[in-house]
Amino acid sequence: MARDIALHHRCLRATLKEFHGYEIATEGDSFKCAFHTPEDAIQWAISVQMDLLCAPWSEQIEDGGWGAFGDTSKWGDPSKLADLSRQGDRRVARRPSHLLRMAAECGGKKRKKVLFNVASAADSIYSKNFCAQMPYATVFHASSGSTLPVFRGLRVRIGIHTGTADVVGTHENTKRVTYGGQVMATAKAISDVPAGGQIVASAETIAAIGSMHTLEQQVRELLCGWSTTGREEEQQPAAVSIVHMGSHLLSRVAAPEPMKPRSIAVAMRDSQNDTSVRDGISDRAWATVEERLSQGSVSEGVVPSALEKAQDLVSIVPFALRSRSVCFPPLDTVQQLTPGFWAAPAREGVTIVFTLVENWTQLKLHAQTNTSFRHVLDATREQLNLLVRAALLPTRGYEVEGEDGCFVLAFHSAEEAVGFAVLLQQTLRLADCWIPELLAMPGCEPLRDDEGQLVAVGPRIKVGMCTADAQVAQPSMRTGRAEYFGWLMNHAARVAAT
């Protein structure tokens, strides 16, 4: 085992210099590393996974320890690929088009030097037996003509986070530079999330990437000569994919309560008893709202608070190892709050919803000329985002994108979309979280009917929706979130704008 641990360390250190990485410290078999850019960190992570695949592991550890451990529930299970290959999996059916497009050959580009003898790794008894039994779970190396299992040897999980360190110092004993603060705490929490052989990064890391196209070209060069086997070999795919895995709670540590969280949750519950609203929608749509609320998806103060401290996570999938993504179990977090790409509505019969804030442009113009109103607008934006996202949870909605108080959302059915719209409007009407200065602005003032009943207060949100088949549903290369294309997108936006 000591020899295998030494091999593990060699794999992690071999390309650190190439990708401008810095080894901060080791703790047992774990490494803490720092990189100048997220692109360098991602390339290093992919390089490490490929080197681990080819290392000369001892016979006892070549299966990663699968046979030695009783509980493999948190392991990537390649047997899941058998059902996929026989039946056709939704993930395969919805494989992103940008993963299948024709791309430039690596041609004369310099290939990454292979750290170990690939042919020797492919010639082991374990590799031969695995590839014979599960040919759909293999990786092909063109230069050596070798086929390897998609999992081989020690399985290393890698977590990546990007931010600014609050503390930079020097370790008293090792004299190595150290980093501290929230960025390190978050990086540590994310590193505990993946399964062995998986790369998971924060949304902050993906947002800090300067050019996804450049990164894709860099990874293509890095993996030149590697490919999957058995499917679609006539096409040169994109080299890497970013797949949204949803928003997760990484820690049970309490966070500061957001502004008036109780009023939000109470407003959601009170919407169940509003007969004037119930009269306006079908029983089926209303049943959707009641069912979700009765399941306890929304509880006082919990949902808004949880959403504020949730972390968006993405999986980084090099195409040569794409089969692994089907094998992995759910991410090992405290709780998943919002769905990821694989749970997003399929393109068939999807309902797209646009939400637009009325008079939002006028509010922003007022903030530009009135500096004291800027903090009011910032707080309003945060609260609107919180309200929309909280209303998504009990109605199975998926956030496609959100910017500046406006959202594009997707739902599995029109009934759930209507349920979301009702829940959101009632939450807006009953919430008492708005700053007084905002309520003095046109379009935000309290509005009452002839009988004195409160009809609206605070910002008004217009909701438009359309149900149809999207032409394409795929993860965005920029964010990894599901994105939809087709005429229904324009139609839903026009409905919301009316």
Side-chain angles (χ1 to χ4, degrees):
M1 189 63 185
R3 175 181 171 278
D4 291 310
I5 293 297
L7 269 177
H8 164 271
H9 287 20
R10 182 182 174 189
C11 288
L12 269 67
R13 288 178 171 137
T15 54
L16 265 179
K17 182 179 179 180
E18 179 181 352
F19 298 112
H20 314 106
Y22 181 81
E23 182 181 329
I24 302 169
T26 59
E27 295 179 0
D29 60 358
S30 68
F31 277 61
K32 293 180 181 179
C33 302
F35 295 84
H36 292 276
T37 68
E39 292 91 334
D40 285 340
I42 290 171
Q43 290 182 80
W44 173 80
I46 293 173
S47 178
V48 165
Q49 295 295 352
M50 301 310 296
D51 286 337
L52 289 166
L53 195 67
C54 306
W57 303 108
S58 64
E59 184 178 342
Q60 295 81 2
I61 209 69
E62 200 169 1
D63 67 350
W66 179 272
F69 296 97
D71 181 15
T72 56
S73 60
K74 295 183 179 180
W75 285 54
D77 183 1
S79 66
K80 293 179 182 178
L81 289 165
D83 293 335
L84 181 151
S85 63
R86 286 193 301 267
Q87 302 170 6
D89 186 86
R90 187 180 180 219
R91 306 183 199 198
V92 175
R94 296 172 60 212
R95 187 172 297 131
S97 60
H98 74 260
L99 289 184
L100 302 178
R101 69 178 184 270
M102 296 296 291
E105 298 285 350
C106 51
K109 291 182 179 179
K110 181 180 178 181
R111 297 185 179 187
K112 174 185 179 293
K113 182 179 178 181
V114 179
L115 187 60
F116 302 106
N117 189 317
V118 181
S120 177
D123 198 44
S124 72
I125 295 175
Y126 170 79
S127 293
K128 288 181 176 179
N129 289 341
F130 186 103
C131 294
Q133 295 171 12
M134 290 187 276
Y136 41 79
T138 54
V139 185
F140 182 70
H141 185 248
S143 298
S144 63
S146 304
T147 301
L148 289 169
V150 72
F151 288 105
R152 181 180 173 275
L154 291 178
R155 302 185 184 184
V156 175
R157 62 176 186 258
I158 300 178
I160 305 173
H161 181 54
T162 300
T164 302
D166 300 323
V167 180
V168 180
T170 303
H171 194 278
E172 182 179 356
N173 297 323
T174 66
K175 308 305 179 184
R176 306 287 290 176
V177 174
T178 60
Y179 302 89
Q182 186 58 48
V183 66
M184 287 298 293
T186 302
K188 174 62 172 67
I190 293 175
S191 72
D192 293 335
V193 163
Q198 188 175 22
I199 305 170
V200 171
S202 64
E204 288 85 350
T205 296
I206 304 306
I209 295 173
S211 168
M212 291 301 299
H213 176 73
T214 300
L215 174 63
E216 199 249 349
Q217 293 300 318
Q218 291 170 336
V219 175
R220 180 179 305 286
E221 184 176 344
L222 178 67
L223 297 182
C224 190
W226 288 99
S227 66
T228 58
T229 57
R231 289 195 296 263
E232 299 160 347
E233 288 305 303
E234 72 278 4
Q235 298 193 50
Q236 279 285 331
V240 65
S241 180
I242 308 298
V243 181
H244 179 233
M245 302 299 285
S247 297
H248 296 255
L249 291 181
L250 302 182
S251 171
R252 296 186 185 277
V253 177
E257 288 296 315
M259 179 169 48
K260 300 286 187 180
R262 185 177 182 278
S263 64
I264 298 172
V266 170
M268 288 182 171
R269 283 219 178 88
D270 287 350
S271 66
Q272 292 177 279
N273 304 317
D274 195 308
T275 55
S276 63
V277 174
R278 291 197 58 174
D279 291 341
I281 62 174
S282 69
D283 290 340
R284 183 179 177 187
W286 189 257
T288 299
V289 180
E290 290 186 320
E291 177 186 358
R292 297 294 171 188
L293 288 173
S294 66
Q295 291 174 353
S297 299
V298 179
S299 57
E300 287 188 17
V302 174
V303 169
S305 176
L307 284 173
E308 284 204 335
K309 57 183 179 177
Q311 179 71 56
D312 260 0
L313 299 176
V314 300
S315 176
I316 298 172
V317 185
F319 193 83
L321 300 178
R322 61 171 180 156
S323 296
R324 286 186 179 183
S325 62
V326 181
C327 305
F328 292 129
L331 297 182
D332 187 18
T333 59
V334 173
Q335 183 182 1
Q336 181 171 352
L337 295 180
T338 65
F341 169 78
W342 299 122
R347 70 175 188 84
E348 298 87 359
V350 64
T351 298
I352 297 296
V353 170
F354 276 71
T355 69
L356 304 176
V357 182
E358 197 170 33
N359 293 331
W360 190 246
T361 301
Q362 288 79 357
L363 291 175
K364 290 196 295 182
L365 289 173
H366 183 68
Q368 290 177 4
T369 58
N370 189 330
T371 56
S372 63
F373 189 74
R374 290 176 186 173
H375 82 280
V376 175
L377 187 64
D378 290 340
T380 301
R381 182 185 292 109
E382 292 180 8
Q383 200 64 31
L384 284 171
N385 292 343
L386 188 63
L387 288 168
V388 172
R389 289 171 176 146
L392 277 176
L393 296 182
T395 52
R396 293 204 308 160
Y398 182 83
E399 181 182 335
V400 177
E401 59 180 303
E403 183 179 3
D404 209 20
C406 302
F407 285 81
V408 182
L409 312 168
F411 291 83
H412 296 271
S413 69
E415 288 81 11
E416 288 174 328
V418 171
F420 159 79
V422 171
L423 196 56
L424 176 62
Q425 297 299 348
Q426 281 298 93
T427 304
L428 287 167
R429 183 175 70 85
L430 298 173
D432 58 354
C433 53
W434 308 115
I435 298 175
E437 290 88 336
L438 176 71
L439 301 182
M441 296 298 297
C444 297
E445 69 278 7
L447 181 64
R448 299 181 182 275
D449 60 19
D450 294 338
E451 298 179 356
Q453 296 294 318
L454 188 65
V455 175
V457 62
R460 278 57 152 171
I461 293 183
K462 300 189 290 185
V463 181
M465 62 186 72
C466 178
T467 302
D469 292 345
Q471 292 179 345
V472 177
Q474 65 183 31
S476 165
M477 194 61 181
R478 177 71 258 183
T479 65
R481 289 180 175 272
E483 60 181 2
Y484 301 83
F485 295 94
W487 63 266
L488 83 162
M489 302 299 292
N490 288 333
H491 193 75
R494 287 171 181 258
V495 171
T498 57

